[in-house]
Structures are given as C-alpha cells and as structure tokens.
Amino acid sequence: MKAHLTRRYKFSASHRLHSDAMSDAENAATYGKCNNPFGHGHNYTLEVTVSGQVDENGMVCNLVDLDGFVEREILERFDVQNLNTLPEFAETVPTTENLSIAVYDILQRGFRLAHLERVRFEETLMNSFEYAGEKQKL
Ligand code: NI
C-alpha cells in the first residue's frame, strides 16, 4: 500500500531579488520593491512530501530520519542566512521558485529512505510555490 507523507518545517532567511546579468534599471523594473538593496526577510514554511510503500512498522518512512536529514541538509544550510551569499544562489536569483528547486535537488540527491514527491514553500500568507522535479513538466 502506497501512501504519502508531508512534513512541515520552518526557517527564516533574507534575500534580495537582483541579477548581475541585468542593469540596475532592468532589475528594478523586473523585481520592483524586492530589488531593494538592503534585502528583506521571510519566515518560510517548507513542506516536504515523500511517498512509498507502508512498511511493517506502518510507516512510509521514519520521521526521525526525515527530520534529521532536513535539519542537517536544509535548515542548517538556509536558516538565518542571507540567501544571496550562498553557493546555491551564486548563479541564480534567490526567488522562492529557485529556493524550491534548490531544496528539491538536495533532497533528491541525498534522501534515500522514501520517494521524494515535491517540496512546497509558503513565503507569505498570500503566496506559495511548489516544485516536483522535471518529470512533472507539462
Ligand atoms: Ni521576498
């Protein structure tokens, strides 16, 4: 029997939406107030959804293992950081779309105890972002 498991995590980080490939005017036109030179912060809610066969213990995967991986590989990397300074965003603008892809890729590469379905970020009360890998492309 296959089931899905979704777990929520919280972390805080700051970012500035700015691309070195564009002029200051183009950045301002593209990113608006999110291009403010001083950046701004978000309290992100991250949802990680995994799936798999329900095992003999009645679980898709042990939450202790999932929490340990996310703590070590995601929260320690991104919590209370300026996303613009991190290697994950050396080449890409730290929009929450790109943050979703970065987190998905880390989980996809390293978490082997269940199948990764998707990650979902709530950035504010008004917007959220999901990424489920290239397979899901329409
Ligand atoms: Ni923002």
Side-chain angles (χ1 to χ4, degrees), residues 22-90:
M22 295 194 292
S23 70
D24 286 351
E26 288 170 324
N27 271 293
T30 302
Y31 295 117
K33 64 183 183 179
C34 296
N35 184 239
N36 172 330
F38 301 106
H40 60 274
H42 291 288
N43 295 316
Y44 294 105
T45 298
L46 164 65
E47 287 181 4
V48 175
T49 300
V50 298
S51 68
Q53 294 298 315
V54 176
D55 66 16
E56 67 277 12
N57 300 316
M59 300 189 289
V60 169
C61 77
N62 195 313
L63 279 181
V64 172
D65 296 325
L66 182 59
D67 286 355
F69 185 90
V70 171
E71 177 68 38
R72 214 166 45 245
E73 299 293 335
I74 308 294
L75 304 184
E76 284 185 15
R77 194 183 305 239
F78 295 117
D79 189 27
V80 202
Q81 297 296 313
N82 174 352
L83 298 179
N84 296 73
T85 66
L86 301 181
E88 287 76 11
F89 299 105

Side-chain angles (χ1 to χ4, degrees), residues 8-11 43-47 120-123:
R8 301 192 119 198
Y9 303 92
K10 288 187 170 290
F11 68 90
N43 295 316
Y44 294 105
T45 298
L46 164 65
E47 287 181 4
R120 177 174 176 273
F121 268 98
E122 290 179 7
E123 182 188 59

